[in-house]
Amino acid sequence: MPYGFLRRRSAPTALFVIASTTAVVVAQTQQVIYADGRRATVEDARKGSGDRWTVSLDGRRVVLRPGEVVAIVIGTEETVLIPSLGEAPPSPETTAMLASVADPKNQDFRTSLAQVVTPPTRAAFDAFEKLVADKNKKLRERGIEGLAHLRTRESVCAAAAAVLAEKDSGVRRDAASALFAAQEVFKRSDTGDLVKSGLEDKERVVRYVFAMLAPADDDAAKAILREQGIKDRDHHVRESAALELGRRGDDAGESILVGMLGRKKLPGFGNDRATMERFLIDEHVAVCAVLGTFESERARAALSKAAKSEHEAVRKAAEAALAAKR
């Protein structure tokens, strides 16, 4: 998904540096998939004890935290890393942070929320479920956000159900976007009935969110993305919809994707050029992969130009997409 939605609801860092001495997996194309939909190409994936995976990313040895990273793909084989809720009782510190999240006067509640969702626990789940039933609509929205950020199948499905059950239209619209923080968990869960209800919701934003999260072969979802998503006033929505349609084999948003591939910078990063470039490169790589599936000369021309990018990852992505066309 383009950077806009990711910046609106930032997630805790998904990786941290470690040292590792475990056995090496045979070298193939390797990629990690984050809960919020981002993907990163990695090298030297290694599986240690249990579900502990480490990879080489940007020249560093890092560990993958299940839930924050939802899957690792090696070649064509995907290993899912979605955790379950832990049953250990909360520590006094966790109890205090959960109380902080539930304090309606606390505007910095996301600082506490980020600390209580990793690892995901039943205690946090129960606390967020309680907030979802609160009379205060702001707390209900916090509860939905908390459930989504736990990034377990149970919690993400509960968050989606809470969005659809919410009576306040404003909360339902705003809370729906919290599901993007755990979209890859949602897509790997039993969500058929939730998707059907979401696609029929009376709120335009809610329909769009569930269309983005729906299975790739859902025709009703593709219709929403074509008729609503790529025509939206918000360019973040248009771009996200175009990219998702392309991944589903629909080129209705091709002109939007070509424009995305041609831009040199992203707004909203101020003087943080390094972060801006990282998001821009990730976005360009994703667009190259989609344009590589289109048959038009316009797509080919855009990829040929991208193959001359100053960024190696973009050049490689464009070259690979062009090679797939031959």
Side-chain angles (χ1 to χ4, degrees), residues 207-255:
R207 294 196 302 273
Y208 163 75
V209 170
F210 279 90
M212 289 287 290
L213 301 179
D217 60 354
D218 191 311
D219 290 335
K222 286 191 280 190
I224 290 171
L225 295 177
R226 281 195 305 270
E227 297 163 13
Q228 172 186 321
I230 61 175
K231 298 177 183 178
D232 198 272
R233 290 177 297 178
D234 188 326
H235 75 91
H236 297 311
V237 173
R238 294 196 303 271
E239 292 165 2
S240 299
L243 194 58
E244 187 61 30
L245 279 170
R247 287 171 173 157
R248 299 176 185 212
D250 190 316
D251 64 359
E254 180 184 61
S255 62

Side-chain angles (χ1 to χ4, degrees), residues 275-297:
T275 301
M276 184 278 292
E277 283 195 349
R278 178 160 50 84
F279 275 93
L280 181 67
I281 289 169
D282 289 345
E283 180 178 276
H284 282 184
V285 168
V287 171
C288 284
V290 170
L291 289 180
T293 66
F294 294 174
E295 298 296 332
S296 72
E297 285 303 315

Side-chain angles (χ1 to χ4, degrees), residues 124-205:
F125 178 90
D126 291 344
F128 296 145
E129 283 270 80
K130 185 177 180 180
L131 288 183
V132 166
D134 200 275
K135 293 181 180 180
N136 186 316
K137 64 182 182 180
K138 290 184 179 180
L139 292 183
R140 295 200 301 275
E141 186 174 347
R142 287 187 192 183
I144 293 172
E145 185 172 345
L147 288 171
H149 278 81
L150 284 172
R151 301 184 187 92
T152 69
R153 289 185 173 93
E154 183 177 357
S155 66
V156 171
C157 287
V163 168
L164 297 172
E166 173 60 48
K167 301 301 182 182
D168 185 284
S169 58
V171 173
R172 195 158 74 253
R173 289 193 302 268
D174 292 342
S177 64
L179 298 177
F180 284 132
Q183 60 181 288
E184 296 297 336
V185 178
F186 184 94
K187 292 174 182 179
R188 291 164 176 79
S189 303
D190 184 9
T191 56
D193 291 341
L194 292 168
V195 168
K196 185 177 186 299
S197 296
L199 296 178
E200 297 171 353
D201 195 88
K202 62 183 179 181
E203 291 294 332
R204 176 184 177 92
V205 170

Side-chain angles (χ1 to χ4, degrees), residues 292-313:
T293 66
F294 294 174
E295 298 296 332
S296 72
E297 285 303 315
R298 185 176 189 180
R300 185 184 296 275
L303 288 169
S304 296
K305 186 174 182 180
K308 301 175 183 177
S309 169
E310 62 182 301
H311 304 295
E312 181 181 8

Side-chain angles (χ1 to χ4, degrees), residues 12-191:
T13 303
L15 303 169
F16 62 95
V17 180
I18 63 148
S20 176
T21 58
T22 50
V24 179
V25 174
V26 176
Q28 301 179 66
T29 301
Q30 301 171 1
Q31 195 174 56
V32 293
I33 302 175
Y34 297 92
D36 60 17
R38 289 174 298 131
R39 295 172 180 248
T41 299
V42 298
E43 297 177 339
D44 193 19
R46 307 177 184 183
K47 184 178 181 182
S49 59
D51 291 327
R52 186 174 183 272
W53 281 87
T54 66
V55 298
S56 177
L57 178 65
D58 295 332
R60 298 176 300 159
R61 195 82 209 150
V62 299
V63 67
L64 306 184
R65 287 178 171 170
E68 295 175 6
V69 173
V70 167
I72 179 168
V73 181
I74 300 176
T76 59
E77 182 178 351
E78 177 179 292
T79 299
V80 176
L81 304 179
I82 300 173
S84 299
L85 292 170
E87 300 294 342
S91 66
E93 292 78 12
T94 297
T95 299
M97 286 188 286
L98 287 170
S100 175
V101 173
D103 179 0
K105 296 180 181 180
N106 179 16
Q107 299 304 308
D108 190 34
F109 70 92
R110 288 192 177 93
T111 297
S112 295
L113 189 151
Q115 297 180 63
V116 298
V117 296
T118 304
T121 64
R122 177 69 58 184
F125 178 90
D126 291 344
F128 296 145
E129 283 270 80
K130 185 177 180 180
L131 288 183
V132 166
D134 200 275
K135 293 181 180 180
N136 186 316
K137 64 182 182 180
K138 290 184 179 180
L139 292 183
R140 295 200 301 275
E141 186 174 347
R142 287 187 192 183
I144 293 172
E145 185 172 345
L147 288 171
H149 278 81
L150 284 172
R151 301 184 187 92
T152 69
R153 289 185 173 93
E154 183 177 357
S155 66
V156 171
C157 287
V163 168
L164 297 172
E166 173 60 48
K167 301 301 182 182
D168 185 284
S169 58
V171 173
R172 195 158 74 253
R173 289 193 302 268
D174 292 342
S177 64
L179 298 177
F180 284 132
Q183 60 181 288
E184 296 297 336
V185 178
F186 184 94
K187 292 174 182 179
R188 291 164 176 79
S189 303
D190 184 9
T191 56

Side-chain angles (χ1 to χ4, degrees), residues 253-266:
E254 180 184 61
S255 62
I256 297 173
L257 296 176
V258 169
M260 292 167 65
L261 191 56
R263 61 189 175 196
K264 302 296 184 183
K265 62 181 181 178
L266 300 172

